[in-house]
Amino acid sequence: MSEKEKSENNANSSVFHTNSRRQVLTGVAVGAAALATNRSIHAMPEHVENKSVPPLKNPMSLYPTPPFSKQPQPWPGLQSKMQPVPDCGEKTYQGSGRLKGRHALVTGGDSGIGRAAAIAFAREGADVAINYLPQEEPDAKEVIDLIQKAGRKAVALPGDIRNEDFCKKLVADALAKLGQIDILAHVAGRQKYSEQLTDITTEEFDWTMKTNLYALFWITKAAIPHLPPGSSIITTSSLVSYMPPEILVDYGMSKAGISNFTKSMAKQLLPKGIRVNCVDPGPFWTPLQICGAQPQSAIPNFGGESPFKRPGQPAEIAPLYVTLASTESSYVTGQSWGIVGGTGQPG
Ligand code: NAD
Ligand code: MG
């Protein structure tokens, strides 16, 4: 590294030692702009221009901490309207070719955890198709743009996964546009709290099960015949699969089902060379949480009860999706992987 590059690097690193995340990101942008002016000959994808050394900082204060403001949005919500906006690694995730030449279908890829996974997959070299609901188009457009800026093919496949025919079409369209699917990341989910079981209508129960379990069944079933050996299926369950709170009975049941599905399917698909693993997030700052997953009264201290005293940001879980998708994890299947913030199961 030249003396000039060293001093630029140090300047960027020191920016991260400010307390405000906003200041941090502004500082990175300024640093990146300075670098960009010196690199006009070799045009690089934008995320490479923005690259910065991750901060060496206490993880408890790396991201926003409670209190947060109450912020109801009509379901399914837009993360671009959240305060603070979730960090899905847009300005920070740096790939190193771990998924070069791969083809990923990510449900719930517009926002939150799915968005962070989609961005990371693209920056690791995969072409990526995302599914989301039509109401989420503004969030989805940003993700499509970020995938393209990573130099990868981006495919937008909006539609409601509560419908079996749509699930079949989703897989068919992803195959047609990507040429192949070898990473299938099920991230879409529905969480709606109810104080009492007697408050849950059959329609509400059905909504949760259709989104979290039927869609998992339909999409996986449609994809299996097309998944080549070496493929990876990643499901998204939750800490509540093991530690269900009293206000999330139907959601907890569905997440336990996802964890269980992961284990049986891992056994069934290993002879075909397909691995299946499950990610169990703890509290993450995403639209789902402010759109009815919790009472609004729980939002100000969301994540505050974690040992970290803050919720996770989607950028902090995306690397696990990459690891499980990657051939580096060739001996890894049928397992649940928790990023729950230092408490509970699994891990
Ligand atoms: P999110 O709101 O950003 O993502 C959920 C996504 O699900 C939405 O963006 C939407 O596109 C998709 N979706 C919901 N219903 C759909 C439908 N009928 N058709 C098509 N798409 C639909 O929130 P998130 O927290 O990133 O959620 C991602 C996953 O993580 C979910 O499975 C959720 O249960 C799980 N999870 C989240 C947390 C957390 O604290 N945020 C904790 C544990 C597990
Ligand atoms: Mg969304």
Side-chain angles (χ1 to χ4, degrees):
M1 196 185 283
S2 72
E3 284 310 311
K4 186 160 186 284
E5 282 170 332
K6 269 187 206 156
S7 82
E8 281 169 344
N9 220 6
N10 288 340
N12 271 347
S13 300
S14 64
V15 171
F16 282 112
H17 292 279
T18 59
N19 286 328
S20 150
R21 181 79 185 151
R22 180 176 295 236
Q23 279 174 286
V24 167
L25 296 178
T26 310
V28 172
V30 170
L35 285 175
T37 54
N38 293 333
R39 285 205 201 129
S40 51
I41 300 173
H42 304 292
M44 300 285 274
E46 187 174 277
H47 74 273
V48 176
E49 293 293 1
N50 281 342
K51 87 176 177 184
S52 50
V53 178
L56 184 60
K57 194 173 173 182
N58 184 334
M60 291 186 72
S61 51
L62 192 53
Y63 285 105
T65 52
F68 301 111
S69 57
K70 291 182 183 175
Q71 44 190 294
Q73 278 191 48
W75 178 85
L78 289 177
Q79 78 160 44
S80 43
K81 291 191 175 163
M82 287 177 69
Q83 281 300 325
V85 174
D87 185 338
C88 296
E90 293 87 346
K91 297 214 185 306
T92 48
Y93 191 91
Q94 294 181 51
S96 54
R98 294 171 72 193
L99 302 176
K100 205 169 170 197
R102 300 286 296 273
H103 314 80
L105 171 58
V106 184
T107 65
D110 60 298
S111 59
I113 294 169
R115 175 188 179 111
I119 293 168
F121 287 166
R123 291 189 185 167
E124 294 290 355
D127 291 340
V128 184
I130 59 166
N131 163 247
Y132 52 93
L133 286 158
Q135 306 94 293
E136 300 173 303
E137 194 63 43
D139 278 353
K141 271 196 175 123
E142 292 176 1
V143 179
I144 293 295
D145 189 48
L146 287 162
I147 295 168
Q148 287 170 342
K149 283 191 169 130
R152 307 311 314 168
K153 185 178 218 181
V155 181
L157 299 171
D160 193 326
I161 59 172
R162 285 172 291 176
N163 178 292
E164 182 174 9
D165 287 341
F166 174 73
C167 289
K168 288 181 187 163
K169 183 170 156 35
L170 173 64
V171 171
D173 288 352
L175 278 166
K177 300 219 166 114
L178 293 175
Q180 180 166 300
I181 298 172
D182 46 57
I183 300 169
L184 177 57
H186 297 277
V187 191
R190 195 242 179 184
Q191 177 181 338
K192 167 85 167 50
Y193 85 93
S194 294
E195 296 289 350
Q196 301 293 328
L197 186 76
T198 44
D199 296 338
I200 307 175
T201 64
T202 300
E203 288 71 25
E204 293 273 357
F205 188 80
D206 201 46
W207 185 345
T208 302
M209 296 304 159
K210 282 268 161 55
T211 312
N212 297 357
L213 286 178
Y214 276 75
L216 178 68
F217 165 62
W218 289 326
I219 294 169
T220 308
K221 188 175 167 185
I224 285 171
H226 307 282
L227 297 176
S231 295
S232 169
I233 299 176
I234 305 167
T235 61
T236 307
S237 180
S238 170
L239 172 64
V240 312
S241 170
Y242 307 86
M243 301 170 72
E246 60 270 38
I247 62 168
L248 294 176
V249 174
D250 55 337
Y251 178 76
M253 288 169 69
S254 72
K255 290 289 165 179
I258 294 172
S259 306
N260 194 280
F261 172 88
T262 305
K263 292 190 186 300
S264 57
M265 288 309 298
K267 290 176 191 160
Q268 187 179 116
L269 293 181
L270 189 58
K272 294 184 194 297
I274 300 166
R275 296 179 298 104
V276 191
N277 286 283
C278 183
V279 175
D280 291 333
F284 275 77
W285 184 246
T286 68
L288 170 142
Q289 293 294 356
I290 54 110
C291 287
Q294 306 285 337
Q296 277 298 310
S297 58
I299 299 302
N301 193 37
F302 183 72
E305 283 162 15
S306 139
F308 281 81
K309 311 264 188 275
R310 66 168 178 85
Q313 292 292 326
E316 297 179 282
I317 201 165
L320 178 55
Y321 284 84
V322 169
T323 294
L324 294 176
S326 163
T327 305
E328 294 155 4
S329 297
S330 50
Y331 200 59
V332 174
T333 198
Q335 290 187 267
S336 290
W337 301 81
I339 298 199
V340 297
T343 188
Q345 296 171 307

